[in-house]
Amino acid sequence: MAGNIRGLHIEDVSARNVRRFFDVNPSGTEQKAQVDDLTIRRVDVRGFSKGAIRIRGDSSNIVIEDVLGDSERQDGDNFAIGIALEDTVHDVALRRVEMMNSHDSTNEYWNGDGFTTERGVRNVSFEDTTASGSTDGGYDLKSSATTLRRPIAGDNKRNYRIWGDAAIIDCVSRDPHKRGGSGSQNHFWIAKGARADVSGCEIEDSDERTTAFEIEPGGSLTVQNSSIKTNGKASLVREGGRLEITPSQ
């Protein structure tokens, strides 16, 4: 999509071996591109190097449901991302969406994320979504007013990376896995100045290389009523960071 559009529905589509399946991006004579009232439903993308879906501009009122994206470990295209929300995208609902195996080993720090939201993005809701097998973050979220309900993350280097503010409810985080490059292996990584409230989650791993909770200076993570079973280091809280854990009742 190259310009502004309203009321676009994409349903019951399968795609194979693409660079990116759906992209909102200015091209030609267009100075900007955005979409209002977008629905992407029952879409299956298998084999991507750059991403499944990228939405940009001031796009809003977006529903993404019952979508599967599996990069199948295509490598060599910088910043591989399953679903990316950028600029000032807002009012987005993702339901029953699964992103798998985003892989990017082109730089010293291996990128490759399941879901990303950039600063300026707001009001994003994840429901029953899954992120697995990525060489960086499962959920790499910089947006504000972000809510995740019943998310699952596993086998990513950092299952949940929070840079903005997020509420994460009834989540699952299993077995972080660093495949290469620099950076640590975590269940939750909280950036400088970020805040995450986690409740009712199951957090478990069997790898001694894992640091369950890593908090950068000024970051804040509250974990309530959650089960935590780790074979690695429980936490790394840098100066000025805050971690509060309330045991499961």
Short mmCIF file of all heavy atoms in Angstrom, two decimals, residues 25-88:
data_model
loop_
_atom_site.label_atom_id
_atom_site.label_comp_id
_atom_site.label_asym_id
_atom_site.label_seq_id
_atom_site.Cartn_x
_atom_site.Cartn_y
_atom_site.Cartn_z
N ASN A 25 3.59 2.13 3.19
CA ASN A 25 4.82 2.88 2.96
C ASN A 25 4.63 3.83 1.78
O ASN A 25 4.11 3.41 0.74
CB ASN A 25 5.96 1.90 2.66
CG ASN A 25 7.31 2.57 2.70
OD1 ASN A 25 7.61 3.34 3.61
ND2 ASN A 25 8.15 2.27 1.72
N PRO A 26 5.01 5.11 1.89
CA PRO A 26 4.87 6.03 0.76
C PRO A 26 5.74 5.57 -0.41
O PRO A 26 6.85 5.08 -0.23
CB PRO A 26 5.37 7.37 1.31
CG PRO A 26 5.33 7.23 2.78
CD PRO A 26 5.57 5.79 3.08
N SER A 27 5.22 5.76 -1.62
CA SER A 27 6.02 5.47 -2.81
C SER A 27 5.54 6.34 -3.96
O SER A 27 4.47 6.94 -3.90
CB SER A 27 5.93 3.99 -3.18
OG SER A 27 4.63 3.65 -3.60
N GLY A 28 6.32 6.42 -5.00
CA GLY A 28 5.95 7.25 -6.15
C GLY A 28 5.84 8.70 -5.75
O GLY A 28 6.74 9.26 -5.11
N THR A 29 4.73 9.35 -6.08
CA THR A 29 4.53 10.76 -5.76
C THR A 29 3.91 10.97 -4.38
O THR A 29 3.75 12.11 -3.94
CB THR A 29 3.61 11.41 -6.81
OG1 THR A 29 2.34 10.74 -6.81
CG2 THR A 29 4.23 11.31 -8.20
N GLU A 30 3.57 9.90 -3.68
CA GLU A 30 2.95 10.02 -2.37
C GLU A 30 3.95 10.53 -1.33
O GLU A 30 5.10 10.08 -1.30
CB GLU A 30 2.39 8.67 -1.92
CG GLU A 30 1.33 8.08 -2.84
CD GLU A 30 0.04 8.85 -2.82
OE1 GLU A 30 -0.17 9.64 -1.86
OE2 GLU A 30 -0.77 8.68 -3.75
N GLN A 31 3.50 11.47 -0.49
CA GLN A 31 4.34 12.00 0.57
C GLN A 31 4.14 11.25 1.88
O GLN A 31 5.01 11.26 2.74
CB GLN A 31 4.04 13.49 0.77
CG GLN A 31 4.34 14.34 -0.45
CD GLN A 31 5.79 14.28 -0.86
OE1 GLN A 31 6.68 14.49 -0.03
NE2 GLN A 31 6.04 13.98 -2.13
N LYS A 32 3.01 10.62 2.02
CA LYS A 32 2.73 9.86 3.23
C LYS A 32 1.80 8.71 2.89
O LYS A 32 1.17 8.68 1.82
CB LYS A 32 2.11 10.74 4.32
CG LYS A 32 0.76 11.33 3.94
CD LYS A 32 0.21 12.17 5.08
CE LYS A 32 -1.18 12.72 4.72
NZ LYS A 32 -1.76 13.50 5.83
N ALA A 33 1.73 7.76 3.80
CA ALA A 33 0.83 6.63 3.62
C ALA A 33 0.28 6.22 4.98
O ALA A 33 1.02 6.15 5.97
CB ALA A 33 1.57 5.46 2.98
N GLN A 34 -1.01 6.00 5.02
CA GLN A 34 -1.62 5.51 6.24
C GLN A 34 -2.93 4.81 5.89
O GLN A 34 -3.48 5.00 4.80
CB GLN A 34 -1.88 6.64 7.24
CG GLN A 34 -2.88 7.68 6.77
CD GLN A 34 -2.94 8.86 7.72
OE1 GLN A 34 -1.92 9.47 8.07
NE2 GLN A 34 -4.14 9.20 8.16
N VAL A 35 -3.42 4.00 6.82
CA VAL A 35 -4.65 3.27 6.59
C VAL A 35 -5.52 3.38 7.84
O VAL A 35 -5.03 3.32 8.96
CB VAL A 35 -4.36 1.79 6.24
CG1 VAL A 35 -3.59 1.09 7.34
CG2 VAL A 35 -5.65 1.03 5.93
N ASP A 36 -6.81 3.61 7.61
CA ASP A 36 -7.79 3.65 8.70
C ASP A 36 -8.82 2.57 8.44
O ASP A 36 -9.28 2.38 7.30
CB ASP A 36 -8.47 5.03 8.75
CG ASP A 36 -9.49 5.11 9.88
OD1 ASP A 36 -9.09 4.96 11.05
OD2 ASP A 36 -10.68 5.26 9.59
N ASP A 37 -9.18 1.85 9.51
CA ASP A 37 -10.13 0.74 9.40
C ASP A 37 -9.55 -0.38 8.54
O ASP A 37 -10.00 -0.65 7.42
CB ASP A 37 -11.47 1.21 8.84
CG ASP A 37 -12.52 0.10 8.81
OD1 ASP A 37 -12.35 -0.90 9.53
OD2 ASP A 37 -13.50 0.23 8.04
N LEU A 38 -8.53 -1.01 9.08
CA LEU A 38 -7.84 -2.12 8.41
C LEU A 38 -8.12 -3.41 9.15
O LEU A 38 -7.98 -3.48 10.38
CB LEU A 38 -6.33 -1.87 8.37
CG LEU A 38 -5.45 -3.05 7.99
CD1 LEU A 38 -5.65 -3.43 6.53
CD2 LEU A 38 -3.98 -2.73 8.26
N THR A 39 -8.48 -4.45 8.42
CA THR A 39 -8.63 -5.79 8.99
C THR A 39 -7.79 -6.76 8.19
O THR A 39 -7.90 -6.82 6.96
CB THR A 39 -10.10 -6.25 8.97
OG1 THR A 39 -10.89 -5.36 9.76
CG2 THR A 39 -10.23 -7.66 9.53
N ILE A 40 -6.93 -7.50 8.89
CA ILE A 40 -6.17 -8.59 8.28
C ILE A 40 -6.54 -9.85 9.06
O ILE A 40 -6.27 -9.94 10.26
CB ILE A 40 -4.66 -8.33 8.32
CG1 ILE A 40 -4.31 -7.05 7.58
CG2 ILE A 40 -3.90 -9.51 7.73
CD1 ILE A 40 -2.85 -6.65 7.65
N ARG A 41 -7.17 -10.80 8.39
CA ARG A 41 -7.75 -11.94 9.10
C ARG A 41 -7.52 -13.24 8.32
O ARG A 41 -7.63 -13.28 7.11
CB ARG A 41 -9.25 -11.69 9.29
CG ARG A 41 -9.99 -12.77 10.04
CD ARG A 41 -11.46 -12.41 10.18
NE ARG A 41 -11.68 -11.33 11.13
CZ ARG A 41 -12.43 -10.26 10.87
NH1 ARG A 41 -12.99 -10.08 9.68
NH2 ARG A 41 -12.60 -9.33 11.80
N ARG A 42 -7.16 -14.28 9.06
CA ARG A 42 -6.96 -15.62 8.48
C ARG A 42 -5.94 -15.57 7.33
O ARG A 42 -6.23 -15.96 6.20
CB ARG A 42 -8.28 -16.23 8.01
CG ARG A 42 -9.27 -16.48 9.16
CD ARG A 42 -10.52 -17.19 8.70
NE ARG A 42 -11.22 -16.43 7.68
CZ ARG A 42 -12.09 -15.44 7.95
NH1 ARG A 42 -12.34 -15.08 9.20
NH2 ARG A 42 -12.69 -14.80 6.96
N VAL A 43 -4.76 -15.10 7.68
CA VAL A 43 -3.66 -14.99 6.72
C VAL A 43 -2.51 -15.89 7.20
O VAL A 43 -2.20 -15.94 8.39
CB VAL A 43 -3.20 -13.53 6.57
CG1 VAL A 43 -1.88 -13.44 5.81
CG2 VAL A 43 -4.28 -12.72 5.86
N ASP A 44 -1.88 -16.58 6.27
CA ASP A 44 -0.79 -17.51 6.56
C ASP A 44 0.41 -17.12 5.70
O ASP A 44 0.35 -17.19 4.47
CB ASP A 44 -1.26 -18.93 6.21
CG ASP A 44 -0.31 -20.00 6.71
OD1 ASP A 44 0.85 -19.68 7.00
OD2 ASP A 44 -0.74 -21.16 6.81
N VAL A 45 1.49 -16.65 6.35
CA VAL A 45 2.70 -16.23 5.63
C VAL A 45 3.83 -17.15 6.03
O VAL A 45 4.24 -17.18 7.20
CB VAL A 45 3.06 -14.77 5.96
CG1 VAL A 45 4.29 -14.34 5.16
CG2 VAL A 45 1.89 -13.83 5.69
N ARG A 46 4.37 -17.89 5.08
CA ARG A 46 5.44 -18.85 5.37
C ARG A 46 6.64 -18.55 4.48
O ARG A 46 6.54 -18.60 3.27
CB ARG A 46 4.94 -20.28 5.16
CG ARG A 46 3.83 -20.67 6.14
CD ARG A 46 3.40 -22.11 5.99
NE ARG A 46 2.27 -22.40 6.86
CZ ARG A 46 2.37 -22.85 8.11
NH1 ARG A 46 3.57 -23.04 8.64
NH2 ARG A 46 1.29 -23.09 8.83
N GLY A 47 7.75 -18.21 5.15
CA GLY A 47 8.96 -17.87 4.43
C GLY A 47 9.02 -16.38 4.14
O GLY A 47 8.53 -15.93 3.12
N PHE A 48 9.56 -15.58 5.08
CA PHE A 48 9.78 -14.15 4.82
C PHE A 48 11.17 -13.77 5.31
O PHE A 48 11.67 -14.32 6.29
CB PHE A 48 8.71 -13.26 5.46
CG PHE A 48 8.63 -13.31 6.97
CD1 PHE A 48 9.52 -12.59 7.76
CD2 PHE A 48 7.65 -14.05 7.60
CE1 PHE A 48 9.43 -12.62 9.15
CE2 PHE A 48 7.56 -14.10 8.99
CZ PHE A 48 8.45 -13.39 9.76
N SER A 49 11.80 -12.81 4.60
CA SER A 49 13.13 -12.36 5.01
C SER A 49 13.07 -11.06 5.80
O SER A 49 13.90 -10.82 6.68
CB SER A 49 14.02 -12.18 3.79
OG SER A 49 13.51 -11.17 2.93
N LYS A 50 12.12 -10.20 5.50
CA LYS A 50 12.03 -8.88 6.13
C LYS A 50 10.90 -8.82 7.15
O LYS A 50 11.05 -8.24 8.22
CB LYS A 50 11.83 -7.80 5.07
CG LYS A 50 12.08 -6.39 5.56
CD LYS A 50 13.56 -6.14 5.86
CE LYS A 50 13.83 -4.67 6.16
NZ LYS A 50 15.23 -4.45 6.56
N GLY A 51 9.75 -9.36 6.82
CA GLY A 51 8.64 -9.34 7.75
C GLY A 51 7.35 -9.81 7.13
O GLY A 51 7.23 -9.94 5.91
N ALA A 52 6.37 -10.06 7.98
CA ALA A 52 5.04 -10.42 7.50
C ALA A 52 4.19 -9.16 7.26
O ALA A 52 3.64 -8.97 6.19
CB ALA A 52 4.35 -11.35 8.50
N ILE A 53 4.13 -8.27 8.26
CA ILE A 53 3.26 -7.09 8.19
C ILE A 53 4.00 -5.90 8.80
O ILE A 53 4.53 -6.00 9.90
CB ILE A 53 1.95 -7.34 8.95
CG1 ILE A 53 1.14 -8.47 8.30
CG2 ILE A 53 1.11 -6.06 9.03
CD1 ILE A 53 -0.02 -8.96 9.15
N ARG A 54 4.02 -4.77 8.08
CA ARG A 54 4.51 -3.51 8.64
C ARG A 54 3.46 -2.43 8.39
O ARG A 54 3.04 -2.22 7.26
CB ARG A 54 5.84 -3.09 8.03
CG ARG A 54 6.37 -1.79 8.65
CD ARG A 54 7.76 -1.44 8.16
NE ARG A 54 7.79 -1.07 6.75
CZ ARG A 54 8.85 -0.55 6.14
NH1 ARG A 54 9.97 -0.36 6.82
NH2 ARG A 54 8.80 -0.26 4.86
N ILE A 55 3.08 -1.71 9.46
CA ILE A 55 2.08 -0.65 9.36
C ILE A 55 2.71 0.63 9.89
O ILE A 55 3.26 0.66 10.99
CB ILE A 55 0.81 -1.01 10.14
CG1 ILE A 55 0.23 -2.33 9.60
CG2 ILE A 55 -0.23 0.10 10.03
CD1 ILE A 55 -0.93 -2.86 10.40
N ARG A 56 2.59 1.71 9.10
CA ARG A 56 3.27 2.97 9.42
C ARG A 56 2.30 4.15 9.32
O ARG A 56 1.11 3.98 9.07
CB ARG A 56 4.45 3.16 8.47
CG ARG A 56 5.40 1.98 8.43
CD ARG A 56 6.47 2.13 7.38
NE ARG A 56 7.56 2.99 7.84
CZ ARG A 56 8.59 3.32 7.09
NH1 ARG A 56 8.68 2.92 5.84
NH2 ARG A 56 9.55 4.09 7.57
N GLY A 57 2.84 5.36 9.47
CA GLY A 57 2.04 6.57 9.39
C GLY A 57 1.15 6.71 10.61
O GLY A 57 1.40 6.16 11.67
N ASP A 58 0.06 7.48 10.45
CA ASP A 58 -0.90 7.67 11.54
C ASP A 58 -2.06 6.69 11.38
O ASP A 58 -3.23 7.05 11.58
CB ASP A 58 -1.40 9.12 11.55
CG ASP A 58 -2.13 9.47 12.84
OD1 ASP A 58 -1.66 9.06 13.92
OD2 ASP A 58 -3.19 10.14 12.78
N SER A 59 -1.75 5.49 11.00
CA SER A 59 -2.77 4.46 10.77
C SER A 59 -3.48 4.11 12.07
O SER A 59 -2.88 4.14 13.16
CB SER A 59 -2.13 3.22 10.17
OG SER A 59 -1.51 3.51 8.93
N SER A 60 -4.78 3.76 11.97
CA SER A 60 -5.56 3.52 13.18
C SER A 60 -6.72 2.57 12.90
O SER A 60 -7.04 2.26 11.76
CB SER A 60 -6.10 4.84 13.74
OG SER A 60 -6.96 5.46 12.80
N ASN A 61 -7.34 2.13 14.01
CA ASN A 61 -8.51 1.23 13.94
C ASN A 61 -8.16 -0.02 13.14
O ASN A 61 -8.73 -0.30 12.09
CB ASN A 61 -9.71 1.96 13.34
CG ASN A 61 -10.09 3.18 14.14
OD1 ASN A 61 -10.19 3.13 15.36
ND2 ASN A 61 -10.28 4.31 13.46
N ILE A 62 -7.22 -0.76 13.68
CA ILE A 62 -6.64 -1.92 12.99
C ILE A 62 -6.93 -3.18 13.78
O ILE A 62 -6.76 -3.23 15.00
CB ILE A 62 -5.11 -1.73 12.84
CG1 ILE A 62 -4.82 -0.50 11.97
CG2 ILE A 62 -4.45 -2.98 12.29
CD1 ILE A 62 -3.43 0.05 12.14
N VAL A 63 -7.38 -4.20 13.08
CA VAL A 63 -7.61 -5.52 13.67
C VAL A 63 -6.81 -6.55 12.88
O VAL A 63 -6.92 -6.64 11.66
CB VAL A 63 -9.11 -5.89 13.65
CG1 VAL A 63 -9.31 -7.32 14.14
CG2 VAL A 63 -9.92 -4.92 14.50
N ILE A 64 -5.98 -7.31 13.59
CA ILE A 64 -5.22 -8.41 12.98
C ILE A 64 -5.59 -9.67 13.76
O ILE A 64 -5.33 -9.77 14.97
CB ILE A 64 -3.71 -8.14 13.05
CG1 ILE A 64 -3.37 -6.82 12.34
CG2 ILE A 64 -2.93 -9.29 12.41
CD1 ILE A 64 -1.91 -6.41 12.48
N GLU A 65 -6.22 -10.63 13.09
CA GLU A 65 -6.75 -11.81 13.76
C GLU A 65 -6.38 -13.09 13.00
O GLU A 65 -6.38 -13.12 11.77
CB GLU A 65 -8.28 -11.76 13.84
CG GLU A 65 -8.84 -10.72 14.77
CD GLU A 65 -10.36 -10.77 14.83
OE1 GLU A 65 -11.00 -11.24 13.85
OE2 GLU A 65 -10.91 -10.35 15.85
N ASP A 66 -6.08 -14.13 13.79
CA ASP A 66 -5.88 -15.47 13.22
C ASP A 66 -4.87 -15.44 12.08
O ASP A 66 -5.12 -15.91 10.97
CB ASP A 66 -7.22 -16.05 12.75
CG ASP A 66 -8.22 -16.14 13.90
OD1 ASP A 66 -7.90 -16.78 14.91
OD2 ASP A 66 -9.30 -15.54 13.79
N VAL A 67 -3.70 -14.88 12.39
CA VAL A 67 -2.62 -14.74 11.41
C VAL A 67 -1.41 -15.53 11.89
O VAL A 67 -1.05 -15.46 13.08
CB VAL A 67 -2.26 -13.27 11.19
CG1 VAL A 67 -1.00 -13.13 10.32
CG2 VAL A 67 -3.43 -12.52 10.55
N LEU A 68 -0.78 -16.24 10.99
CA LEU A 68 0.46 -16.95 11.27
C LEU A 68 1.56 -16.41 10.37
O LEU A 68 1.38 -16.29 9.15
CB LEU A 68 0.31 -18.45 11.01
CG LEU A 68 1.61 -19.28 11.06
CD1 LEU A 68 2.17 -19.31 12.47
CD2 LEU A 68 1.39 -20.68 10.52
N GLY A 69 2.71 -16.09 10.96
CA GLY A 69 3.89 -15.70 10.19
C GLY A 69 5.09 -16.52 10.64
O GLY A 69 5.44 -16.51 11.82
N ASP A 70 5.69 -17.24 9.73
CA ASP A 70 6.87 -18.05 10.02
C ASP A 70 7.95 -17.71 9.00
O ASP A 70 7.80 -18.00 7.81
CB ASP A 70 6.53 -19.54 9.94
CG ASP A 70 7.70 -20.44 10.32
OD1 ASP A 70 8.81 -19.92 10.55
OD2 ASP A 70 7.49 -21.67 10.37
N SER A 71 9.03 -17.08 9.44
CA SER A 71 10.08 -16.70 8.50
C SER A 71 10.82 -17.91 7.95
O SER A 71 11.53 -17.80 6.94
CB SER A 71 11.09 -15.75 9.16
OG SER A 71 12.07 -16.48 9.88
N GLU A 72 10.68 -19.04 8.65
CA GLU A 72 11.41 -20.25 8.28
C GLU A 72 12.92 -20.02 8.28
O GLU A 72 13.67 -20.62 7.54
CB GLU A 72 10.92 -20.80 6.95
CG GLU A 72 9.44 -21.20 7.00
CD GLU A 72 8.92 -21.78 5.71
OE1 GLU A 72 9.59 -21.61 4.66
OE2 GLU A 72 7.85 -22.41 5.75
N ARG A 73 13.35 -19.07 9.15
CA ARG A 73 14.76 -18.75 9.36
C ARG A 73 15.46 -18.21 8.11
O ARG A 73 16.66 -18.39 7.94
CB ARG A 73 15.53 -19.93 9.92
CG ARG A 73 15.00 -20.38 11.22
CD ARG A 73 16.05 -20.70 12.27
NE ARG A 73 15.36 -20.82 13.56
CZ ARG A 73 15.10 -19.82 14.37
NH1 ARG A 73 15.53 -18.61 14.08
NH2 ARG A 73 14.42 -20.00 15.46
N GLN A 74 14.74 -17.53 7.26
CA GLN A 74 15.42 -16.79 6.20
C GLN A 74 16.30 -15.72 6.84
O GLN A 74 15.87 -15.02 7.74
CB GLN A 74 14.41 -16.16 5.25
CG GLN A 74 13.63 -17.18 4.43
CD GLN A 74 12.87 -16.54 3.30
OE1 GLN A 74 13.20 -15.46 2.83
NE2 GLN A 74 11.82 -17.22 2.83
N ASP A 75 17.54 -15.61 6.37
CA ASP A 75 18.52 -14.73 7.00
C ASP A 75 19.11 -13.80 5.95
O ASP A 75 18.97 -14.04 4.75
CB ASP A 75 19.62 -15.58 7.65
CG ASP A 75 20.47 -14.79 8.64
OD1 ASP A 75 20.15 -13.62 8.91
OD2 ASP A 75 21.46 -15.36 9.13
N GLY A 76 19.75 -12.71 6.42
CA GLY A 76 20.47 -11.82 5.52
C GLY A 76 19.74 -10.54 5.17
O GLY A 76 20.27 -9.72 4.42
N ASP A 77 18.54 -10.32 5.70
CA ASP A 77 17.80 -9.09 5.45
C ASP A 77 17.67 -8.37 6.79
O ASP A 77 16.96 -8.83 7.69
CB ASP A 77 16.42 -9.41 4.87
CG ASP A 77 15.88 -8.30 4.00
OD1 ASP A 77 16.42 -7.18 4.08
OD2 ASP A 77 14.94 -8.54 3.23
N ASN A 78 18.36 -7.26 6.96
CA ASN A 78 18.51 -6.62 8.26
C ASN A 78 17.17 -6.27 8.89
O ASN A 78 16.25 -5.81 8.23
CB ASN A 78 19.35 -5.34 8.09
CG ASN A 78 20.00 -4.91 9.38
OD1 ASN A 78 20.05 -5.66 10.36
ND2 ASN A 78 20.52 -3.70 9.40
N PHE A 79 17.08 -6.48 10.22
CA PHE A 79 15.89 -6.20 11.01
C PHE A 79 14.68 -7.01 10.53
O PHE A 79 13.65 -6.46 10.12
CB PHE A 79 15.56 -4.69 11.01
CG PHE A 79 16.55 -3.86 11.76
CD1 PHE A 79 17.50 -3.12 11.08
CD2 PHE A 79 16.56 -3.85 13.14
CE1 PHE A 79 18.44 -2.35 11.76
CE2 PHE A 79 17.49 -3.08 13.85
CZ PHE A 79 18.43 -2.34 13.15
N ALA A 80 14.78 -8.30 10.59
CA ALA A 80 13.64 -9.17 10.30
C ALA A 80 12.64 -9.08 11.44
O ALA A 80 12.99 -9.27 12.61
CB ALA A 80 14.12 -10.61 10.13
N ILE A 81 11.39 -8.76 11.11
CA ILE A 81 10.34 -8.56 12.12
C ILE A 81 9.05 -9.18 11.61
O ILE A 81 8.62 -8.91 10.49
CB ILE A 81 10.11 -7.06 12.40
CG1 ILE A 81 11.40 -6.40 12.90
CG2 ILE A 81 8.98 -6.88 13.41
CD1 ILE A 81 11.31 -4.87 12.95
N GLY A 82 8.40 -9.97 12.45
CA GLY A 82 7.12 -10.56 12.06
C GLY A 82 6.06 -9.49 11.81
O GLY A 82 5.61 -9.30 10.68
N ILE A 83 5.67 -8.77 12.85
CA ILE A 83 4.72 -7.66 12.72
C ILE A 83 5.34 -6.42 13.35
O ILE A 83 5.75 -6.44 14.51
CB ILE A 83 3.37 -7.97 13.38
CG1 ILE A 83 2.65 -9.09 12.62
CG2 ILE A 83 2.49 -6.72 13.44
CD1 ILE A 83 1.29 -9.45 13.15
N ALA A 84 5.40 -5.33 12.57
CA ALA A 84 6.01 -4.08 13.02
C ALA A 84 4.99 -2.95 12.93
O ALA A 84 4.38 -2.73 11.88
CB ALA A 84 7.23 -3.74 12.15
N LEU A 85 4.82 -2.22 14.05
CA LEU A 85 3.97 -1.02 14.09
C LEU A 85 4.88 0.17 14.34
O LEU A 85 5.63 0.18 15.32
CB LEU A 85 2.93 -1.15 15.20
CG LEU A 85 2.05 -2.41 15.17
CD1 LEU A 85 1.09 -2.40 16.35
CD2 LEU A 85 1.28 -2.52 13.86
N GLU A 86 4.79 1.19 13.47
CA GLU A 86 5.74 2.30 13.52
C GLU A 86 5.03 3.65 13.48
O GLU A 86 3.81 3.72 13.34
CB GLU A 86 6.73 2.19 12.35
CG GLU A 86 7.52 0.88 12.34
CD GLU A 86 8.51 0.79 11.20
OE1 GLU A 86 8.68 1.79 10.46
OE2 GLU A 86 9.12 -0.28 11.03
N ASP A 87 5.82 4.72 13.57
CA ASP A 87 5.34 6.12 13.51
C ASP A 87 4.31 6.36 14.60
O ASP A 87 4.60 6.13 15.77
CB ASP A 87 4.81 6.44 12.11
CG ASP A 87 5.89 6.31 11.04
OD1 ASP A 87 7.08 6.57 11.36
OD2 ASP A 87 5.57 5.94 9.90
N THR A 88 3.09 6.81 14.26
CA THR A 88 2.06 7.08 15.28
C THR A 88 0.85 6.17 15.09
O THR A 88 -0.30 6.57 15.32
CB THR A 88 1.63 8.56 15.24
OG1 THR A 88 1.21 8.90 13.90
CG2 THR A 88 2.78 9.47 15.65
#
